[in-house]
């Protein structure tokens, strides 16, 4: 019988992508993937474990193969499909998937094994063979026309684009520069055209970071996007630039041309820094008087005379509620300030993870007695992390689930152990989130359009949650469909780097 350790090494060494899912856990999540699957998809193991395999399909959910695959999973049988999947960078690849069901002695499907191969090259060859002679001739004619017109077309783009743009040959000699570049960097066309990039402005563009991007990064990673370079120019001062470079690889007269777009983000960064500074100063300065107000409100409650009118008691109670809300908002602003300045601190200690989740739910349940929160699953382990920060994350997710779902619906929390990860899911039956907004909900100050119309808030709660989970080396994501509720998922690795 083959030794299991040898079998494990064979699976890890194979060039074929392999995943295993646990059909007994909610949503049939991935519990194992080999290195070949990471290479195939571009995702790391931390980003894979705990997800359902559908995450590779992106928005491309209308495929016939998906229906075939779903039926096979539902019926617990094997199947083979060719399906369109997408890498982490969004690149399409054709996946030849062999799905095998694993059953126990009672015939119950406990796991699924997916064997996956990239057959994009084969699919492309099949498509090429289907092209007929007339289509080929038509494309050749179109490209010939394009080459004739490209000089004029490119010149029009260079002049109309609203950022600095240089066109260079493969030796970095400037072929053209648009007016925006000339005006921004205070040079004339005679000082630019025909000159080497690094010699522009009497050597002002001889910038080490620029050279590294053009000569080391661009040849191996075309195009290069959003590359930050800071440089102090003698005549115009210090500039922070965002560079995008693209090497044109078309055959013909323009082969190996290089487009370099330069966006001056100096003022934008300065404005952002001023905003961050104001946020930090304002939140700290407001904290002291607000703490005093909170103290006075507590004193008013203690010294409330027995004969006080109901109207007076109601006013005090409402004031206390709004002061508490203000204190919470200020606390979130302070958290954002610490995150932006890199001062967020984690105090990691071992704690009972199940107890933490249970007590957090009980606390929320007490504050919203009219709502039902169901807890399913447990992990039965002590987790090394910052308990108070993780309580903050789960509290935020539960509060959102309650706030954005009807009062007569149930909020569910699922906790389970997947491989060497803890997975927590908060499920609501609320309004849901559009697909194009799901990644943005974790951005600072971003609020979903419909939510912004009907609910107050600043849009920083989920941003703080993401930063806390990221600092625990975990991942957080949302799965949602408009009108059908949302599922916010968290995975936390049991083994963290020091």
């Amino acid at each position: 019988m083959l030794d299991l350790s040898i079998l494990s090494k064979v699976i890890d060494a194979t060039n074929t992508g392999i995943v295993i899912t646990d059909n007994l856990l909610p949503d049939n999540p991935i519990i194992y993937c080999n290195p070949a699957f990471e290479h195939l998809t571009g995702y790391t193991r931390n980003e894979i474990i705990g997800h359902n395999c559908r995450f590779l399909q992106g928005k491309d959910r209308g495929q016939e193969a998906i229906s075939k695959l779903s039926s096979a999973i539902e019926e617990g049988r094997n199947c083979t499909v060719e399906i369109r999947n997408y890498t982490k960078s969004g690149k399409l690849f054709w996946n030849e998937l062999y799905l095998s069901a694993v059953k126990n002695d009672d015939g119950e499907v406990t796991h699924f094994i997916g064997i996956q191969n990239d057959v994009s090259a084969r699919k492309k060859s099949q498509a090429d063979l289907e092209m007929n002679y007339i289509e080929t001739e038509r494309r050749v004619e179109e490209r010939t026309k394009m080459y004739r017109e490209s000089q004029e077309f490119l010149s029009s783009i260079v002049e109309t684009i609203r950022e600095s743009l240089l066109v260079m040959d493969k030796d970095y000699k400037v072929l053209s520069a648009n007016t925006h570049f000339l005006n921004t960097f205070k040079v004339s066309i005679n000082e630019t055209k025909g000159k080497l990039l690094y010699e522009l402005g009497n050597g002002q563009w001889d910038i080490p970071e620029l050279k590294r991007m053009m000569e080391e990064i661009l040849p191996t990673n075309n195009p290069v996007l959003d590359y930050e370079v800071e440089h102090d120019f003698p005549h115009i001062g210090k500039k922070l630039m965002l560079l995008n470079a693209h090497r044109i690889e078309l055959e013909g007269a323009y082969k190996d041309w290089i487009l370099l777009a330069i966006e001056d983000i100096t003022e934008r960064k300065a404005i952002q820094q001023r905003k961050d500074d104001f946020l930090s100063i304002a939140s700290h300065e407001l904290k002291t008087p607000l703490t005093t107000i909170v103290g006075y409100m507590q004193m008013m409650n203690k010294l409330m005379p027995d004969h006080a009118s109901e109207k007076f008691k109601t006013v005090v109670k409402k004031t206390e509620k709004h002061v508490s809300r203000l204190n919470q908002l200020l606390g979130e602003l302070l958290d954002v300030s610490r995150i932006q300045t890199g001062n967020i601190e984690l105090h990691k200690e071992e704690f009972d993870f199940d107890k933490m989740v249970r007590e957090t739910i009980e606390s929320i349940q007490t504050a919203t007695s009219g709502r039902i929160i169901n807890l399913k699953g447990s992990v039965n382990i002590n987790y090394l992390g910052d308990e108070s920060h993780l309580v903050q994350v789960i509290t935020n997710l539960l509060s959102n689930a309650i706030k954005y779902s009807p009062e007569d619906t149930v909020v569910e929390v699922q906790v389970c152990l997947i491989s060497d990860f803890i997975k927590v899911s908060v499920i609501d039956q609320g309004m849901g989130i559009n697909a194009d907004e799901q990644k943005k909900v974790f951005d600072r100050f971003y609020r979903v359009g419909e939510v912004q119309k009907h609910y107050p808030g600043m849009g920083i709660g989920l941003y703080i949650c993401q930063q806390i989970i990221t600092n625990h080396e975990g991942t957080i994501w949302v799965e949602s469909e408009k009108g059908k509720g949302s599922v916010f998922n968290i995975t936390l690795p049991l083994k963290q780097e020091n």
Side-chain angles (χ1 to χ4, degrees), residues 175-395:
L175 302 174
S176 66
N178 67 349
T179 304
H180 197 283
F181 176 87
L182 303 179
N183 293 338
T184 300
F185 296 99
K186 313 299 181 191
V187 290
S188 66
I189 189 64
N190 293 332
E191 296 172 312
T192 307
K193 191 173 181 178
K195 306 288 186 182
L196 291 177
L197 173 63
Y198 310 127
E199 295 177 356
L200 295 180
N202 294 321
Q204 291 186 42
W205 286 82
D206 189 8
I207 306 170
E209 274 299 302
L210 175 62
K211 275 189 174 181
R212 179 174 177 272
M213 185 196 77
M214 299 297 293
E215 298 177 11
E216 297 179 25
I217 300 176
L218 182 59
T220 60
N221 186 24
N222 184 35
V224 178
L225 304 175
D226 297 338
Y227 189 87
E228 280 194 15
V229 172
E230 187 174 29
H231 185 63
D232 195 352
F233 292 92
H235 300 302
I236 60 175
K238 185 176 288 187
K239 293 287 184 182
L240 183 61
M241 300 173 288
L242 201 61
L243 308 182
N244 292 299
H246 184 209
R247 184 184 295 275
I248 301 174
E249 297 176 342
L250 294 173
E251 293 293 340
Y254 312 111
K255 181 175 173 59
D256 287 334
W257 277 22
I258 300 171
L259 302 180
L260 177 62
I262 307 160
E263 184 180 0
D264 182 1
I265 59 172
T266 310
E267 184 59 27
R268 186 201 309 170
K269 282 286 186 179
I271 292 172
Q272 186 61 55
Q273 185 59 51
R274 289 196 290 270
K275 287 181 180 178
D276 291 340
D277 291 343
F278 173 77
L279 179 65
S280 178
I281 294 169
S283 55
H284 281 86
E285 289 299 317
L286 288 171
K287 190 67 176 176
T288 300
L290 186 58
T291 302
T292 304
I293 294 172
V294 171
Y296 280 129
M297 290 306 303
Q298 293 171 348
M299 186 180 299
M300 286 180 68
N301 272 321
K302 289 180 181 179
L303 300 178
M304 180 78 67
D306 295 335
H307 60 273
S309 67
E310 286 302 316
K311 183 176 181 181
F312 180 74
K313 290 180 180 179
T314 301
V315 170
V316 171
K317 188 175 181 180
K318 287 184 177 180
T319 303
E320 187 176 26
K321 178 182 177 181
H322 288 293
V323 169
S324 176
R325 172 62 178 157
L326 182 58
N327 197 34
Q328 180 186 344
L329 291 174
L330 193 55
E332 290 179 347
L333 285 174
L334 282 168
D335 283 338
V336 172
S337 175
R338 293 188 189 103
I339 291 168
Q340 291 303 112
T341 56
N343 292 327
I344 186 172
E345 294 183 3
L346 297 183
H347 303 285
K348 293 185 178 181
E349 293 181 357
E350 284 197 355
F351 63 91
D352 186 329
F353 194 89
D354 292 333
K355 181 181 178 183
M356 180 273 292
V357 174
R358 189 169 58 252
E359 290 180 348
T360 304
I361 291 174
E362 289 172 356
S363 176
I364 296 293
Q365 187 76 79
T366 301
T368 54
S369 56
R371 298 301 299 271
I372 299 174
I373 305 174
N374 286 339
L375 173 61
K376 292 186 178 180
S378 61
V379 292
N380 299 316
I381 61 169
N382 287 334
Y383 176 73
L384 179 63
D386 189 316
E387 184 175 7
S388 63
H389 274 100
L390 292 176
V391 167
Q392 182 180 353
V393 171
I394 295 175
T395 298

